[in-house]
C-alpha cells in the first residue's frame, strides 16, 4: 500500500487569479488528505506578491496566509535565493507562478533543472524568444530533460482544455492543419457588442469604454487593443503544433490603436480621443454588413504554410465565430481526422475562477506524476 506523502507548494502572485487559486488549493488539499488509499498532504510554504512575502526557514506550513500576508513586512526573496530556499525543502516542490512577470519566466529553466515543478498561466514564459521555450522544455521532465514538470494550460484559454487537446491531437498522430478562433475575452465582448449578428451595436469607442467599465479590459485598454495578448497565445499554439515561431512580434498582428493615439500619455486620454476615429470602424462594419457578414478579431495558424496572423476578419453570420456570446472564447482545430468539421472548444476564456481552475488542474496533473 502506498505511503502518505507530503508535497510543498510555493505561490507567487496573490491578486485576482492568485486568490482564486489559493481558495481552490485549500479545497484540493482537504480532499487529497482524506484519500483512503494514499493521502497526499499539500503544504503551502511560501506566498509572495511583488511587494511582500511570507515563508518560514523551517518550511512550516502557512495556515493563515491571508492574515499573515497582510501583517508581513518581509520583502520578496530575490529569484536566486528563492531557488535555493525551494531546493532545500524536505520534499518535492511545486512552484505556482500566478504572475505575468518576464523575470520569473526567464528563471523557469533554473527552477526545473533543480527538480522544482511549475504550474502557471504566465504567457510570457512560453511566448517570448524561441530560445526560452527550448530551454524550458530541455530542462523539464515532460520535455527532454530530467528536472521538474511544467504545465501551462491556462496560458491560452484560462480553464478551457485548449493546450491539452492540441497536445493530444499531435501526440496521437493527427495532422493539425489549421487553428482558428477568438482568443481574447476582451475582443470577443467588444465585437459581439459592436456588431451583433442580429444588427445594431454601438460606436466602437463607446463599446471600448463599456468593456473597461465592466472590467473586461486592462487598466489601459491599449494593452488589449494592440493585439499582443492574442499574439502570445497564437505563438504558444503554433509552437505546440510544430512551428518554430520566434516571438509574438515575428508575424502580422493588427493593432486596433489608431497611430495618432499610440503616444497618448494615459489610458484615459486614449479613451477620450478614441471617438475621433469611430468613422474607420463604422466603415468596416458597413462593408461587412453589405456582404451579410460580421467583423471579428481572430487569430489563426496555418500549419502547412507555416503562417500565423492576428487581426480583423469577416465571417458569415452562421459561422460559430460570429455567433459567440458575451466574452466567450472559441478555438477551432482543423485536422486530418476531423476533416471539414473542426473540433471546437468554447467557453469563458478569462476570469479569476476559470483561470485558477486551469492552474489547479495542472497541479493535479503534476501530483499524479510526482513519485
Amino acid at each position: 500500500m502506498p505511503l502518505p506523502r507530503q508535497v510543498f507548494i510555493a505561490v507567487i502572485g496573490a491578486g485576482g487569479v492568485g486568490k482564486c487559486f489559493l481558495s481552490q488549493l485549500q479545497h484540493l488539499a482537504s480532499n487529497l488528505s482524506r484519500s483512503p488509499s494514499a493521502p497526499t498532504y499539500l503544504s503551502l510554504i511560501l506566498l509572495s506578491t511583488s511587494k511582500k512575502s511570507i515563508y518560514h526557514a523551517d518550511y512550516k506550513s502557512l495556515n493563515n496566509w491571508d492574515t499573515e500576508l497582510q501583517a508581513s513586512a518581509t520583502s520578496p526573496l530575490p529569484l536566486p535565493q528563492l531557488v535555493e530556499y525551494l531546493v532545500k525543502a524536505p520534499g518535492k516542490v511545486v512552484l505556482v507562478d500566478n504572475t505575468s512577470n518576464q523575470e520569473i519566466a526567464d528563471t523557469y529553466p533554473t527552477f526545473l533543472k533543480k527538480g522544482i515543478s511549475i504550474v502557471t498561466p504566465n504567457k510570457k514564459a512560453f511566448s517570448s524568444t524561441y530560445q526560452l521555450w527550448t530551454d524550458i522544455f530541455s530542462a523539464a521532465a515532460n520535455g527532454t530533460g530530467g528536472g521538474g514538470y511544467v504545465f501551462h494550460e491556462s496560458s491560452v484559454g484560462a480553464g478551457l482544455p485548449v493546450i491539452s487537446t492540441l497536445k493530444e491531437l499531435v501526440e496521437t498522430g493527427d495532422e493539425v492543419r489549421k487553428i482558428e478562433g477568438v482568443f481574447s475575452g476582451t475582443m470577443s465582448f467588444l465585437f459581439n457588442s459592436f456588431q451583433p449578428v442580429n444588427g445594431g451595436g454601438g460606436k466602437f469607442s463607446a463599446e471600448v469604454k463599456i468593456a473597461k467599465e465592466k472590467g473586461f479590459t486592462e487598466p489601459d485598454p491599449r494593452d488589449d487593443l494592440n493585439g499582443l495578448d492574442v499574439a502570445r497565445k497564437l505563438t504558444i499554439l503554433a509552437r505546440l503544433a510544430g512551428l518554430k515561431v520566434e516571438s509574438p512580434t515575428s508575424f502580422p498582428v493588427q493593432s486596433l490603436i489608431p497611430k495618432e493615439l499610440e503616444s497618448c500619455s494615459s489610458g484615459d486620454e486614449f479613451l477620450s480621443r478614441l471617438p475621433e476615429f469611430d468613422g474607420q470602424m463604422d466603415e468596416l462594419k458597413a462593408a461587412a454588413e453589405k456582404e451579410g457578414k460580421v467583423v471579428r478579431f481572430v487569430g489563426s495558424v496555418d500549419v502547412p504554410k507555416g503562417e500565423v496572423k492576428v487581426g480583423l476578419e469577416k465571417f458569415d453570420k452562421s459561422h460559430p465565430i460570429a455567433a459567440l456570446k458575451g466574452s466567450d472564447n472559441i478555438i477551432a482545430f482543423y485536422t486530418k481526422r476531423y476533416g471539414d468539421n473542426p473540433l471546437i472548444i468554447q467557453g469563458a476564456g478569462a476570469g479569476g475562477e476559470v483561470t485558477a481552475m486551469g492552474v489547479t488542474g495542472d497541479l493535479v496533473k503534476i501530483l499524479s506524476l510526482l513519485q
Side-chain angles (χ1 to χ4, degrees), residues 9-30:
I9 312 291
V11 177
I12 307 177
V17 173
K19 278 198 172 70
C20 293
F21 168 75
L22 288 160
S23 168
Q24 292 178 22
L25 177 67
Q26 212 168 2
H27 179 77
L28 177 65
S30 173

Side-chain angles (χ1 to χ4, degrees), residues 93-348:
V93 176
V94 182
L95 173 67
V96 183
D97 173 21
N98 288 318
T99 75
S100 58
N101 183 296
Q102 184 68 57
E103 194 185 350
I104 298 169
D106 291 340
T107 315
Y108 283 9
T110 306
F111 284 115
L112 292 163
K113 280 177 194 164
K114 301 274 189 181
I116 296 159
S117 294
I118 298 168
V119 294
T120 183
N122 188 345
K123 287 185 277 291
K124 288 179 181 169
F126 308 96
S127 64
S128 297
T129 63
Y130 192 73
Q131 187 60 54
L132 179 58
W133 169 273
T134 305
D135 290 347
I136 287 170
F137 288 104
S138 297
N142 52 326
T144 54
Y149 294 93
V150 60
F151 287 98
H152 58 106
E153 183 69 77
S154 47
S155 65
V156 170
L160 297 175
V162 178
I163 287 175
S164 50
T165 300
L166 177 55
K167 282 174 88 168
E168 260 185 34
L169 290 170
V170 172
E171 287 166 9
T172 58
D174 199 355
E175 186 185 308
V176 180
R177 292 167 175 167
K178 187 180 181 185
I179 305 165
E180 181 180 54
V182 174
F183 293 88
S184 158
T186 305
M187 293 298 203
S188 179
F189 177 83
L190 265 180
F191 282 91
N192 296 341
S193 306
F194 171 64
Q195 190 173 23
V197 171
N198 55 5
K203 294 287 184 187
F204 187 70
S205 61
E207 298 299 351
V208 173
K209 194 161 180 283
I210 291 166
K212 183 175 189 288
E213 285 163 2
K214 287 182 178 280
F216 285 128
T217 73
E218 295 294 328
D220 186 336
R222 285 175 296 181
D223 292 336
D224 294 294
L225 297 176
N226 64 13
L228 188 59
D229 177 65
V230 176
R232 286 193 180 280
K233 294 174 182 179
L234 266 290
T235 300
I236 294 167
L237 294 180
R239 288 172 176 175
L240 289 168
L243 302 183
K244 290 186 176 177
V245 177
E246 180 48 42
S247 77
T249 55
S250 63
F251 53 85
V253 178
Q254 183 179 0
S255 171
L256 299 185
I257 303 167
K259 283 211 170 353
E260 299 88 336
L261 302 188
E262 283 173 359
S263 59
C264 284
S265 59
S266 69
D268 288 341
E269 185 195 340
F270 168 74
L271 279 177
S272 71
R273 291 197 54 201
L274 190 57
E276 298 167 29
F277 301 89
D278 277 335
Q280 297 170 12
M281 295 302 287
D282 284 343
E283 282 173 25
L284 285 172
K285 187 199 278 194
E289 192 60 52
K290 255 186 198 160
E291 296 175 40
K293 296 182 177 183
V294 293
V295 177
R296 296 292 183 260
F297 193 87
V298 297
S300 64
V301 181
D302 185 320
V303 180
K305 289 183 182 172
E307 290 176 359
V308 186
K309 61 178 180 174
V310 171
L312 294 172
E313 302 272 352
K314 289 182 277 194
F315 291 90
D316 287 327
K317 292 182 179 182
S318 58
H319 195 286
I321 284 177
L324 269 188
K325 297 281 188 290
S327 59
D328 273 8
N329 285 8
I330 186 168
I331 297 93
F333 295 106
Y334 293 84
T335 77
K336 187 176 182 181
R337 285 185 196 139
Y338 280 87
D340 293 335
N341 294 318
L343 168 59
I344 289 177
I345 297 169
Q346 181 178 337

